[in-house]
Amino acid sequence: MSAVLNPKSKSIEGKNASKVESLPSSKERLAEALAAVESVVPPLWPLQDYVAVNPFLGLSKYTFHSARQALRSVRDCELLPSLDFFRQQIQSERISRKNIASALEQCLKEYPDWYADYEVEWILRGIESGNSMPAAKERHYFTLSEWIDRREHSSWTSHIINDITRHCSSYYDEGQASWPNPWKELPLYTAWREGALLSRRMDYLGIKGFHDLIAQLPSEPRKAIVWVLHELGISPVLYRHFLLCEILSVAGWASFVKYRDRQAAMAGQVGDELISLLAIRLAYDLALARSHVAKEERKLRDFVAEIFPSDSVNNLPQAPPTDVLVRYLLQVATETAYRKKLLGQLTAQQAPAKTNEGAAVQMIFCIDVRSEVMRRHLESLSDKIETFGFAGFFAMPFEYVPFGQASGMSQCPVLLSPSFRVKETVQGVDGSQRDRAMTSFREQRTKHKIWKSFQSSAVSCFSFVESIGLLYFFNLVADSLRFPFHVLSGSRNRSSRHGAATIGPDLHAHGDDHLPLARKVDLAEGMLRNLGLTECFSRLIIICGHASEVTNNPYKAGLDCGACGGHSGEPNARVAAALLNDRQVRQVLATLGISIPEDTWFVPAVHNTTTDEIRMFDTNSLPATHSGDLAEIKRWIAEAAMLCRKERSCRLNGATASNLVRRSRDWAEVRPEWGLAGNASFIVAPRSRTKGLNLGGRSFLHSYDHEKDPDLKVLELIMTAPMIVANWINLQYYASTVDNRSFGSGNKVIHNVVGQFGVLQGNGGDLMTGLPWQSISDGSKMQHEPLRLLVVIEATRQAVKTIINKHTLVKELTSNGWLTLVVLENEVCYRWSAPGSWEVDTTSVSNSRGEDKSATAESMGKGGLQ
């Protein structure tokens, strides 16, 4: 036992471990099953880098229907809204009979056998009668603990998940716990075995022999999986279903360890933590099953064979049940209704000139749907304002190291890896002043760590409250009454001592962080060409990233810029502006055909999406000749910000244009802003196509002019990066709305931050994954309408088809029902159909521009999305 107590010792090897290699495990089937498990589980980023992720990431090769059936057979989850939801849509006339007829026509082409006998009138009569269609049994496979719970009305699955959560929370803790896990340096599975060999919790709960089983387990997770499958007698034909059941019963933790495996792979290492988690989950079920059959005096394999008969795969239904087919058809009808409105808006107007040569200012925003509102109001104030939409990391994929720290965060989409590093420094001072600032900052950080440690220490926590706690009374009063001051604080803002304007990115670093001129030019050229801004530069160009300002919100990163890895877009805007203002960079760009006038100046800024304030940076280096221009732009921005707040306040209960700033600083506010709720479309076109249209903050807007992209490099980049990211965001909001229990994170009021990396609902259960309920509902109405993303690209069909056929993932998403792709060519809309061809989209009937704008305003009005 002394060896067991040593955190770095090897676990006792079970007496059966040596037999693993000779077990009839059907290695090919097991390899396929494990590959399926690893592909189906999506990654979950930690809270500090939280970004939206497509929860169906590994299922894109299947059609939407097939993926739903596959998930429903092994997990209690839902991918379609309820019939009651669609009944409300019909009653509120958001879905018309024509929409349903168009949807039926589309479904007949996609699934001719399933929808051959369906009629619009029959569907409408069934919906209007108020009778719910009988739901068929769709769950066919269960974990052993779930099966026992259903039979005996017990809570073994909950106990098992809580035990796994206890271990994983401790193992992955990032400093929140006062006492670290003693086996943290060991692999996940090994650390769990060491702890389980000491714990008697499961034995005390009633799983007899649990401790003995742990001692028998092989020391390697893959061998343990083989051994457990052999002990249970699971048929190889059922490996995939059985293992998916097991891993999806702890879907939250599975997603988090999948993220860790992904990060390891990106670093050139082998990540095996998902397999380890699967082995851990299987061990609990084996122990429970053994204990259960011992009570009934039965053979373990006979018991398992009743739950998982080997011929069950052959008995699975081929077609979805009727209620599912009807709901899918109505989902298509809802998306058809939205598509008709949007395409009507886009084709109803004569596009004005594509460039605004008389622009006094050009502003580059992220494609985020919240930017659509700000851009629209800015352009409404003056014809001298021209805006662009571009991925908010501005083609600057770097690691940003904050002042005084050794490592930083990735300021790029999670699909990419940083290609260079930028450190933050104190600007405008000499070396000695910089060193003093660094020393001061480190002292403040050390004091803060000691202070936090004293606050949370098990020894001092009671004495802390008794001796100092009263001083925090004033802080509590200030926070409760929303006063913007703090009487006592253990930390100090890193920029408060030196001034925010003096701390910024250092692009003149030496050594490993040195950025050569050629690399600077490549970055600057890539940004401008992909943006389509290579001529007609205005005197001032604002590069405007975005961030949020909220208090007491674990999901703050989810409100920040997803293109910047769930962080503020400030560093990217400042780096991009600094590169484009560099005279050496400009000189080389001119030789490449991009001539930036001498009087053009780039200014970095950040759009605070919670308050709609726009803050500019590095204006101290702005030429004096541009001060008047900047003053006028600031006036426009202030006016546009007020218009934005007025529009957004209509969707936030109890909000007004004047109190949105206060709400952002309210520690008790569960809905400081709506984030990307309502997102429904991704439009790739010149701004002239959408300028003046009220798109209701529901569209990602990416600037693109196909006439400037003869080799399709820009379009290919858009369809393989920003379009994929927009699809991730859209499907996370979709899934969190349709089934928040399985794909969301429940009620944020009872969220419990664990290990500083994730959230639990209350004090146990699985790790939460998606969006809180408060992020998609105002308590009475949904603020996100579950629609699959509509992508509209103004280009030629041949160009888009070339890229579809070139990239497997793009083809899967567009052809298998994960998004709808429409090409706008010569003022005609063509939809990409499931068979892989273009069809004229008959829903794009030209409506008057005024009718479309009123319809959008009504749908996004005070009542939110119905």
Side-chain angles (χ1 to χ4, degrees), residues 51 206 212 217 221 268 337 341 477 553 701 748 773 799 810:
V51 293
D212 295 334
L217 283 172
K341 285 184 178 180
V477 171
N553 188 344
L701 300 179
K748 66 161 59 175
W773 186 247
V810 174

Side-chain angles (χ1 to χ4, degrees), residues 39 302 319 331 351 396 465 482 522 573 603 623 659 703 705 771 794:
S39 67
D302 292 342
Q331 176 68 32
M396 303 288 158
V465 172
R482 290 103 179 193
D522 286 342
V603 178
N659 72 4
S703 297
D705 187 347
L771 300 163
E794 184 166 350

Side-chain angles (χ1 to χ4, degrees), residues 93 117 203 224 236 328 350 436 514 562 602 640 668 743 800:
E93 298 183 348
D117 298 327
D203 296 83
Y328 179 78
Q350 292 295 322
R436 287 197 297 271
H514 175 65
F602 292 83
F743 302 114
V800 174

